[in-house]
């Protein structure tokens, strides 16, 4: 059998044990294990249990703190700052979240800047908790310089994901989480592990030539989605979650890594907007108009962003996770 079926809580326990055995503190091991299990559960293999390999490797290379306690600062009426002190971003996010929500409710809009964090996680997990309390959410983060700007051939931008979430009451939220590169780097790495070619348009080799060889793209440059449009959005992410919040660009993150091969280091910007504060008594009628928009999309056969993720979640909750046996064994060997 080439796959192993494991229940969600066993996947969480495996991830938690691997992280604890490698020296992560209880809160970090818990937050990371929940995050990678949720990624796998939601059908997002590029941000699922496979990530444990890079998470542990980054620690072994001395490029992430296993136990730093975040510092949360009430920076301004609508701004929260969270210093992760070189740990993964998740504990800083979770500890800053209540103050972000409180400020968004009070001001109508609030921002959270996470600084000095190592980042590996899917951003949908950062906007979903905002939608669960009725807020609109946005998140973005640079990474390492892996992606060439449109018109260029040299890596400059990160994969620079953007996530957006819209609350829908008791229905699953409208959430998209997309790299501004043609694919997440993790997707290319998974193709490389499986010995599969990648689709055309994902990257170029080190001579600037288009290629479908994943290793050639990992050694060359990834491309943005939608040409100059994705390139402009990637630059926006660099600015939002780099200079605006006093943190690194993707090029600076890669320079800081200095060839070690650790995960990206820098900042993340999260915005929360409260429809009730924008709209007062009229909130319900305007949120109903959003539902009309979503029905209009579905009436044409379009899928709402996030739909596939929620279907995968339901299936994983009922049937567990199917992992390739080789990946499962690699993860077990990390304990
Ligand atoms: O897979 O795009 C990616 C990624 C970004 C940061 C770490 N991995």
């Amino acid at each position: 059998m080439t796959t192993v079926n494991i229940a969600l809580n066993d996947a969480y326990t495996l991830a938690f044990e691997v992280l604890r055995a490698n020296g992560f503190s209880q809160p970090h091991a818990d937050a990371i294990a929940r995050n990678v299990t949720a990624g796998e559960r939601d059908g997002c293999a590029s941000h699922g249990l496979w990530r444990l390999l890079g998470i542990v490797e980054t620690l072994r290379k001395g490029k992430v703190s296993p136990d730093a306690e975040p510092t949360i600062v009430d920076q301004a009426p609508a701004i929260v700052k969270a210093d992760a002190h070189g740990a993964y971003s998740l504990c800083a996010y979770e500890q800053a979240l209540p103050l972000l929500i409180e400020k968004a409710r009070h001001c109508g809009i609030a921002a959270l800047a996470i600084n000095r964090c190592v980042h590996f996680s899917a951003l949908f997990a950062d906007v979903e908790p905002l939608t669960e309390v009725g807020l609109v959410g946005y998140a973005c983060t640079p990474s390492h310089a892996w992606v060439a700007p449109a018109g260029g051939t040299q890596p400059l931008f990160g994969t620079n994901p953007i996530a957006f979430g819209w609350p829908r009451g008791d229905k699953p939220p409208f959430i998209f989480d997309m790299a501004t590169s043609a694919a997440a780097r993790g997707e290319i790495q998974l193709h490389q592990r499986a010995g599969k070619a990648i689709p055309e348009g994902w990257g170029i080799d080190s001579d600037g030539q288009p290629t479908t060889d994943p290793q050639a793209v990992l050694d060359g440059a990834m491309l943005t989605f939608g040409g100059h449009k994705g390139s402009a959005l990637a630059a926006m992410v660099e600015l939002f979650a780099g200079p605006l919040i006093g943190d690194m660009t993707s090029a600076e993150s890669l320079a800081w890594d200095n060839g070690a091969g650790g995960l990206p280091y820098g900042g993340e910007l999260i915005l929360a907007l409260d429809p009730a504060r924008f709209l007062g008594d009229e909130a319900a009628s305007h949120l109903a108009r959003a539902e009309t928009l979503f029905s209009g999309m579905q009436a044409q056969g379009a899928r709402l962003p996030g739909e596939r993720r929620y279907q995968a979640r339901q299936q994983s909750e009922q049937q567990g996770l199917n992992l390739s046996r080789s990946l499962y064994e690699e993860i077990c060997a990390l304990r």
Side-chain angles (χ1 to χ4, degrees):
M1 180 107 106
T2 54
T3 59
V4 177
N5 181 269
I6 48 174
L8 282 178
N9 45 9
D10 293 338
Y12 165 84
T13 304
L14 171 63
F16 181 79
E17 285 175 7
V18 160
L19 294 160
R20 288 294 277 152
N22 280 276
F24 284 97
S25 66
Q26 197 277 343
H28 282 291
D30 172 51
I32 298 166
R34 276 188 282 116
N35 184 277
V36 294
T37 306
E40 195 74 41
R41 175 200 66 191
D42 287 7
C44 180
S46 66
H47 289 80
L49 294 166
W50 166 77
R51 281 277 164 192
L52 288 166
L53 308 182
I55 289 165
V56 169
E57 191 187 351
T58 300
L59 178 70
R60 290 179 178 173
K61 287 177 167 162
K63 288 292 183 185
V64 67
S65 163
D67 55 5
E69 301 249 349
T71 309
I72 312 300
V73 176
D74 187 340
Q75 174 83 2
I79 300 176
V80 187
K81 279 204 146 200
D83 188 338
H85 297 291
Y88 286 118
S89 62
L90 297 169
C91 281
Y93 172 75
E94 288 183 2
Q95 288 191 27
L97 184 62
L99 185 56
L100 174 68
I101 292 172
E102 187 187 313
K103 284 181 179 294
R105 294 232 185 281
H106 186 73
C107 302
I109 179 166
L112 165 61
I114 305 178
N115 288 116
R116 298 203 291 160
C117 65
V118 183
H119 214 292
F120 68 86
S121 47
L123 295 185
F124 70 80
D126 292 350
V127 296
E128 191 171 308
L130 297 169
T131 63
E132 280 166 358
V133 295
L135 301 175
V136 176
Y138 167 90
C140 66
T141 183
S143 55
H144 278 329
W146 289 320
V147 181
T153 57
Q154 301 305 309
L156 177 67
F157 299 144
T159 47
N160 296 10
I162 295 173
F164 171 83
W166 182 271
R168 302 184 64 208
D170 52 11
K171 296 196 187 112
F174 173 103
I175 293 182
F176 71 75
D177 172 2
M178 52 177 220
T180 51
S181 47
R185 191 164 185 86
E187 276 299 333
I188 298 180
Q189 291 166 310
L190 286 175
H191 277 76
Q192 191 261 349
R193 278 173 63 88
K196 287 191 194 152
I198 55 171
E200 280 173 26
W202 283 15
I204 50 182
D205 64 20
S206 44
D207 297 322
Q209 296 306 311
T211 177
T212 58
D213 174 354
Q215 190 58 55
V217 170
L218 294 173
D219 296 339
M222 297 167 67
L223 294 174
T224 57
F225 85 88
H228 65 280
K229 296 182 184 179
S231 191
L233 289 174
M236 180 193 76
V237 171
E238 297 285 337
L239 297 171
F240 258 173
L244 177 70
I245 64 167
D247 223 311
M248 293 204 198
T249 61
S250 298
E252 289 164 344
S253 169
L254 194 61
W256 179 88
D257 185 63
N258 200 19
L263 285 160
Y265 179 55
E268 177 180 348
L269 177 71
I270 297 130
L271 303 179
L273 295 84
D274 186 358
R277 207 78 172 117
F278 276 81
L279 298 166
D281 291 345
E282 295 175 4
S285 65
H286 289 298
L287 291 176
R289 292 175 48 246
E291 291 304 317
T292 307
L293 177 76
F294 298 144
S295 312
M297 292 168 71
Q298 288 171 313
Q300 294 193 34
R303 215 179 7 226
L304 296 185
E307 258 179 44
R308 252 199 310 214
R309 217 168 21 243
Y310 291 107
Q311 280 161 9
R313 184 176 299 188
Q314 231 178 7
Q315 184 169 329
S316 306
E317 279 163 357
Q318 287 161 5
Q319 297 169 20
L321 302 169
N322 290 319
L323 277 194
S324 82
R325 179 166 291 282
S326 62
L327 175 60
Y328 177 74
E329 285 170 359
E330 253 182 284
I331 293 171
C332 290
L334 291 173
R335 280 189 288 197

